[in-house]
Amino acid sequence: MTICEILPVADAQDPALALLRAGQVIAIPTETVYGLAGDATNGVAVARIFEAKGRPRFNPLIAHVADMSMAESIGIFDPLSRKLAEAFWPGPLTLVVALRPDAGIHPLVTAGLSTIALRMPRGFGAGLIAALGRPLAAPSANSSGKISATSAEAVRADLGEKIPLVVDAGATPVGLESTILKVENGGLRLLRPGGVPAEEIERVTGRP
Ligand code: AMP
Ligand code: MG
C-alpha cells in the first residue's frame, strides 16, 4: 500500500517533479477537476494511470501542455484549431488534432490512434508542465465510472492507496470537465460538452 501525502500547492512543485521524473503518477489540481497526471512520454507512467483508475486501455487520455510550442511539437494544428487554441488556451477546452509521428507521446496515451487530445491548463498544472518540460497525460483523478473529484480529499478517499501525492489547491474553479472539440472536414464536432460553452465557441469561430 502506498502512503498518500497531501501537499498544498505552495510546497508541492519540487516533490511533484521528482515523482513525475521517476515515472510515478500524482493527482494535481486543474481549473476543471483534479487530474491523475503522469509523464505522457513514459509508458510506465501512462500504464500506471490506466491501472490506478481501472480505465480500459482503449479509452485515450488528454495530453496537457504548457505552451503553444509544446502543443505544436505534438499535434498538427489546422487554422481553425489554432484559432480555437488562441482564443481559449489556457482554459477548459481540449482540441483533438492529428498526432505528429515524432511527438514522443507514448502510444498508450492515444490508444494507438493517429489523433491526440490536447489541452493547456491554467495554474499549478501549467507551471508543473513547464518545469518538467514534457506533456502530462491526465484524466480525471477518480476510479473509472465514479464522478470526477473536485477536491483533494475526494481524490485521497478514492485513489489514496494507489498514488503517493495529491496536490491540494482547494475546490477546482470550473468543477466540470473540459469541452472536447475536433475539426473535421472544415467543420467543428463537439465530442464532449464541458467548461467552455458551445455558444462561446460559435461566437469565436462563426460556426455551429
Ligand atoms: P477524461 O480524460 O477522462 O476526461 O476523458 C478524455 C476524453 O477524451 C475521453 O472521452 C476520450 O475518449 C477523449 N479523447 C482522448 N483522445 C481522443 C482522440 N484522439 N480522439 C477522440 N477523443 C479522444
Ligand atoms: Mg473522467
Side-chain angles (χ1 to χ4, degrees):
M1 192 180 113
T2 308
I3 304 290
C4 180
E5 204 173 0
I6 295 192
L7 287 177
V9 282
D11 301 331
Q13 177 145 322
D14 288 347
L17 280 173
L19 287 164
L20 291 170
R21 288 187 182 121
Q24 297 288 339
V25 303
I26 62 173
I28 61 168
T30 81
E31 70 271 63
T32 56
V33 296
Y34 277 75
L36 188 62
D39 179 348
T41 68
N42 180 335
V44 171
V46 179
R48 283 187 169 129
I49 295 175
F50 282 95
E51 191 184 306
K53 282 182 66 80
R55 180 175 174 119
R57 289 202 177 187
F58 55 76
N59 190 1
L61 306 178
I62 298 171
H64 294 70
V65 297
D67 51 41
M68 207 56 213
S69 90
M70 190 183 280
E72 304 241 21
S73 75
I74 299 169
I76 301 168
F77 284 73
D78 58 278
L80 188 53
S81 295
R82 184 169 293 112
K83 184 174 187 174
L84 286 160
E86 280 164 5
F88 293 107
W89 282 0
L93 178 71
T94 295
L95 295 168
V96 175
V97 294
L99 176 67
R100 281 190 193 282
D102 60 349
I105 296 289
H106 194 276
L108 262 181
V109 172
T110 57
L113 296 172
S114 59
T115 53
I116 183 152
L118 289 174
R119 181 166 99 79
M120 190 191 297
R122 288 197 185 95
F124 178 81
L128 188 66
I129 297 161
L132 185 67
R134 292 185 196 171
L136 288 178
S140 53
N142 52 271
S143 301
S144 209
K146 291 197 184 169
I147 61 160
S148 301
T150 56
S151 74
E153 212 27 79
V155 177
R156 180 155 70 178
D158 182 8
L159 298 175
E161 293 184 5
K162 297 174 179 164
I163 60 174
L165 176 65
V166 181
V167 180
D168 187 358
T172 56
V174 176
L176 74 166
E177 281 88 356
S178 61
T179 302
I180 306 182
L181 277 184
K182 186 180 183 193
V183 173
E184 239 173 24
N185 309 318
L188 282 178
R189 208 167 118 208
L190 182 66
L191 298 179
R192 177 176 77 186
V196 175
E199 306 79 66
E200 257 190 74
I201 294 160
E202 287 187 21
R203 187 176 53 75
V204 165
T205 60
R207 289 162 206 248

